[in-house]
């Protein structure tokens, strides 16, 4: 059972509440940043240019630290690129899946 005021992430460790924690979008991206450089699987980082939830800063950071990753910026999307720009999203994901060698 989770205690009130604490979030639990995968692995069972809890994240203590703190001032601005909810406003600090992307705290989850920093939890295992040091592990991202060891990824060896093809990685496509998708972000909407106007995403205020997991925006450009975090997408660029992921792209920077994940070796060989590909960054796709959906210019006319926010957080829901698959809905807001399906004509760009779908072919990009399809191309990535078809051409990536896992």
């Amino acid at each position: 059972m989770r205690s009130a005021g604490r979030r639990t992430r995968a692995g069972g460790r809890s994240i203590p509440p703190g001032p601005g924690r909810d406003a600090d979008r992307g705290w989850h991206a920093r939890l295992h940043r040091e592990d991202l450089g060891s990824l060896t699987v093809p990685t496509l980082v998708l972000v909407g240019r106007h995403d205020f939830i997991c925006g450009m800063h975090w997408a660029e950071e992921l792209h920077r630290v994940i070796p060989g990753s590909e960054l796709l910026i959906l210019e006319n999307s926010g957080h829901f690129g698959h809905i807001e720009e399906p004509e760009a999203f779908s072919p990009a994901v399809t191309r990535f899946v078809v051409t990536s060698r896992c």
Side-chain angles (χ1 to χ4, degrees), residues 19-63:
R21 174 82 64 200
D22 292 335
D24 184 12
R25 311 252 188 237
W27 58 266
H28 51 282
R30 292 191 307 274
L31 291 176
H32 294 290
R33 181 180 290 157
E34 66 277 1
D35 297 332
L36 294 174
S38 65
L39 287 176
T40 59
V41 295
T43 304
L44 175 61
V45 179
L46 285 160
V47 64
R49 170 81 58 197
H50 309 287
D51 187 343
F52 62 89
I53 298 170
C54 302
M56 293 288 299
H57 171 80
W58 296 113
E60 289 168 343
E61 176 72 4
L62 288 172
H63 176 55

Side-chain angles (χ1 to χ4, degrees), residues 62-83:
L62 288 172
H63 176 55
R64 185 183 68 75
V65 299
I66 299 173
S69 65
E70 183 178 333
L71 175 64
L72 174 64
I73 300 169
L74 299 172
E75 295 295 335
N76 300 306
S77 294
H79 189 66
F80 296 102
H82 61 293
I83 296 170

